[in-house]
Amino acid sequence: AHTKAYMSFVVASRWFAFKLDLLSFILTAAATLLAVLFDDQQWFQVDPAILGLALTLLIQISTTNFPWIVRQSAEVTNQMVSVERILEFG
């Protein structure tokens, strides 16, 4: 019974990680496309150094920090549910 629950948890975690990676990709692609479009159409004057810094930070946040923060939040929620169950039924 423990193996079934563990495998379900692993599968759900991998599915969630894939969705987060997809969201990060879409966000980065949209920001890059909009930056190129704004520069090409000359709607805004953006310094290339600032744009490069913004895209670098976006890539860093979306690939490193954001998935880790969401996973930690889900793990805290899982642990607190187990504490609540112990307090309720224990």
Side-chain angles (χ1 to χ4, degrees):
H2 173 69
T3 307
K4 289 180 184 178
Y6 179 72
M7 285 302 294
S8 297
F9 177 74
V10 169
V11 168
S13 296
R14 288 290 82 210
W15 175 83
F16 189 62
F18 174 74
K19 292 294 184 181
L20 282 178
D21 288 343
L22 184 64
L23 179 67
S24 298
F25 170 75
I26 290 171
L27 182 63
T28 305
T32 305
L33 187 65
L34 285 174
V36 169
L37 183 65
F38 285 164
D39 185 54
D40 187 44
Q41 298 295 324
Q42 297 182 351
W43 291 336
F44 296 106
Q45 293 294 342
V46 179
D47 186 24
I50 300 294
L51 182 61
L53 179 63
L55 289 176
T56 302
L57 289 174
L58 178 63
I59 290 170
Q60 179 184 4
I61 288 172
S62 66
T63 58
T64 305
N65 297 339
F66 182 64
W68 182 79
I69 290 169
V70 172
R71 277 196 306 269
Q72 290 301 98
S73 173
E75 186 63 30
V76 166
T77 302
N78 284 339
Q79 295 298 326
M80 292 311 292
V81 165
S82 64
V83 169
E84 288 174 358
R85 288 180 181 171
I86 288 173
L87 291 175
E88 181 70 26
F89 302 113

